[in-house]
Amino acid sequence: MEISASGVVNERRFWDLLDAPVDERNDEDYYVEKTRALHEEAVRRRGVSGPIGALLSGGNDSSANVSLLARQGHDRIHTFTVGLSEFEGDTKYNDLHYARQVAKLAGTKHHEALLTTDEFLKILPQTIDAQDDLVSEPSSVFLFHALRMAKDEGIRVVVTGEANDELCCGHGGMVEIRDGHDKRWAKLMRLPAPVRRAAALLAPLLSPKRTDVLRRAADGGEYFWSYEIAWPQVDLPNIVSADFLRRTSDHPASEVVLQNRKRVDASAHGKRDYLNHMVYAMMQDNYFGNLMLSKLDLLSATFGLESRCPYTSPDYAHWVYNVPASLKFKDGWVKYFFKKSINGVLPKEIIYRPKQGFRTPVQELFVGRLAEWARPILLETGFTKAGILRRDHLANLLERHKRRERDHSTKLWTAMVLNMWHDRWLT
């Protein structure tokens, strides 16, 4: 944003993943070697003299950063990882074994914390207070506590592993969504508009789970929106009041999605794999401009820390975005080219292991202690109290989840933190 002496405001995009597209070539070594070089340089530029901290989940991204810091001569590295004591050892979640192994290999001073559920709940409101934004990811609570641990150790700079999963296609779900687009959506969009509209009208009767997708197809919309969605558009009448829907009907969320689609289509990436659109939709404005800044900058500032993320380095991020999709998922491995680039940086048993990371077992928590703690927040406060969120729907979701009829944890978490954010920052 530029503001002239006379007060004229001019907004322009100064950096974009779509800028200067790199020609794709059939040369795996070319992409692997340059990724390795850019990653090493990004870590080097984020180092400091003296003690330095690093968040360490034991996954590839954070572990590679720690290993490179050690190889580049940092001998006073403090590593931090956080988990929930009730679930430690559960392979679906944050197994601290790998973090300890990497810390030992890199020779760091390792710090770990196993929170009880009550401690987790105590930290949650503090995280919302510090973040000044919606805590869309439960792992933000872990991040908050890990940063507090770093402050207590006298650390001023912390290196993190954010963003690489999304840039490199580190989620198997991304591949499944891409395949759904190529195998089903693309064919659907070739049908005449009247046929698509008829399919959308019949969907609630014939295929209820596909109602939202078919309605988007009928409107000429976009297949992939974001991972940060709790309620699809077709379900909004269930969760928000009819009056609220009427008052916001002039600003449909689909417009934002289509703006991103048009940007990609107007670039060289418009003719490339659909993964390019997906990564762009997640990263350019949402993760870089919102999620990354709120999670890292705001939480770190609470403790007077500076978080540095090698994977958001413009040179690295732009290059990785341009790596062909055929190398982002290959031989059954997501992030294939990145794994190849850190061969030798980490042992293969770390590189080629099931993905875990700072995941939070909210599905299980909403069956137990979190369900009772969250009930009054969900049903009596914030946007529910204001009549915008529907109390009856939230109560039904909570009960069905507790009975394990279906996993509603994402919806419940979203509504809970929305109400907490409302009461902290609006009232």
Side-chain angles (χ1 to χ4, degrees):
M1 180 180 293
E2 298 173 341
I3 304 176
S4 70
S6 60
V8 176
V9 178
N10 178 40
E11 292 186 4
R12 64 182 179 87
R13 189 177 290 269
F14 67 90
W15 183 83
D16 199 303
L17 283 170
L18 299 173
D19 292 342
V22 179
D23 291 337
E24 294 188 338
R25 62 170 76 174
N26 185 23
D27 188 345
E28 180 177 307
D29 290 342
Y30 167 69
Y31 291 104
V32 169
E33 293 304 320
K34 188 161 183 178
T35 299
R36 179 182 293 118
L38 288 172
H39 182 204
E40 290 176 355
E41 178 61 19
V43 172
R44 182 177 293 107
R45 294 182 61 184
R46 280 151 185 80
V48 294
S49 60
I52 187 169
L55 303 188
L56 179 60
S57 69
N60 284 339
D61 302 330
S62 61
S63 297
N65 285 343
V66 169
S67 181
L68 286 175
L69 285 170
R71 286 168 175 244
Q72 291 171 5
H74 292 275
D75 57 1
R76 287 191 285 171
I77 307 171
H78 292 250
T79 47
F80 303 90
T81 190
V82 180
L84 277 176
S85 58
E86 289 93 329
F87 298 93
E88 169 55 19
D90 188 327
T91 56
K92 292 187 297 182
Y93 300 109
N94 182 28
D95 190 331
L96 304 185
H97 165 72
Y98 294 102
R100 295 170 190 152
Q101 185 177 344
V102 172
K104 183 177 180 180
L105 289 170
T108 75
K109 184 175 182 181
H110 190 53
H111 312 267
E112 64 181 39
L114 286 173
L115 303 175
T116 66
T117 300
D118 284 342
E119 288 172 330
F120 178 86
L121 296 178
K122 181 179 179 180
I123 295 171
L124 175 55
Q126 299 172 29
T127 308
I128 290 176
D129 183 64
Q131 194 161 313
D132 188 13
D133 200 356
L134 303 182
V135 184
S136 58
E137 293 190 358
S139 61
S140 294
V141 180
F142 286 166
L143 174 59
F144 180 84
H145 189 68
L147 291 170
R148 179 158 52 193
M149 291 166 64
K151 178 192 176 182
D152 291 344
E153 292 297 324
I155 301 298
R156 299 301 300 274
V157 172
V158 177
V159 174
T160 78
E162 302 286 343
N164 204 42
D165 264 344
E166 292 72 25
L167 282 167
C168 295
C169 182
H171 304 287
M174 295 176 68
V175 179
E176 294 174 6
I177 293 170
R178 188 275 306 274
D179 291 346
H181 171 272
D182 293 350
K183 295 176 182 178
R184 295 184 293 275
W185 177 268
K187 295 177 182 178
L188 180 64
M189 294 305 289
R190 288 195 288 268
L191 296 174
V195 176
R196 285 185 271 122
R197 286 194 287 268
L201 290 173
L202 293 172
L205 297 175
L206 302 180
S207 185
K209 292 183 179 179
R210 293 185 171 87
T211 299
D212 186 69
V213 170
L214 291 173
R215 286 191 182 178
R216 275 185 269 144
D219 295 337
E222 185 54 56
Y223 182 64
F224 176 76
W225 282 28
S226 170
Y227 275 155
E228 304 298 316
I229 295 174
W231 278 269
Q233 296 296 292
V234 70
D235 286 346
L236 287 184
N238 293 330
I239 183 61
V240 298
S241 68
D243 178 63
F244 181 78
L245 281 179
R246 282 194 299 270
R247 289 190 284 124
T248 57
S249 60
D250 293 338
H251 304 284
S254 57
E255 290 182 358
V256 177
V257 179
L258 288 175
Q259 287 174 6
N260 283 332
R261 178 75 249 187
K262 290 176 181 177
R263 278 195 229 155
V264 175
D265 285 345
S267 74
H269 293 275
K271 295 181 176 62
R272 298 181 183 178
D273 196 284
Y274 191 68
L275 276 174
N276 290 53
H277 162 70
M278 294 173 59
V279 173
Y280 187 81
M282 287 191 293
M283 296 303 302
Q284 182 64 41
D285 295 323
N286 185 23
Y287 277 44
F288 282 147
N290 180 22
L291 184 61
M292 307 309 304
L293 291 176
S294 63
K295 280 184 67 175
L296 292 176
D297 287 358
L298 292 174
L299 292 182
S300 300
T302 301
F303 301 111
L305 301 177
E306 179 186 350
S307 288
R308 299 181 177 182
C309 182
Y311 302 115
T312 58
S313 166
D315 289 344
Y316 176 88
H318 178 264
W319 169 256
V320 166
Y321 179 66
N322 278 271
V323 172
S326 60
L327 294 177
K328 289 176 177 171
F329 178 70
K330 183 178 178 180
D331 297 342
W333 289 102
V334 292
K335 276 165 67 174
Y336 171 86
F337 75 99
F338 180 77
K339 292 178 187 293
K340 297 283 283 188
S341 77
I342 57 174
N343 273 335
V345 175
L346 293 171
K348 288 189 176 181
E349 59 267 26
I350 295 290
I351 299 174
Y352 299 99
R353 71 173 182 85
K355 179 179 175 59
Q356 290 170 284
F358 275 9
R359 295 180 59 200
T360 312
V362 289
Q363 180 178 351
E364 289 85 350
L365 291 176
F366 267 117
V367 174
R369 180 77 176 87
L370 179 57
E372 297 309 313
W373 187 86
R375 177 181 292 276
I377 297 172
L378 285 165
L379 306 185
E380 309 295 343
T381 70
F383 289 101
T384 307
K385 184 178 180 180
I388 293 176
L389 295 182
R390 290 183 48 185
R391 186 181 189 279
D392 57 336
H393 181 64
L394 290 172
N396 183 48
L397 287 181
L398 189 59
E399 291 307 313
R400 291 177 63 192
H401 183 90
K402 287 181 64 178
R403 293 196 298 267
R404 300 183 186 272
E405 294 178 9
R406 189 174 176 182
D407 178 15
H408 294 295
S409 58
T410 299
K411 290 180 168 64
L412 293 169
W413 177 272
T414 301
M416 178 188 73
V417 297
L418 185 62
N419 280 348
M420 294 174 70
W421 176 83
H422 174 283
D423 284 0
R424 173 61 183 90
W425 291 106
L426 297 187
T427 60

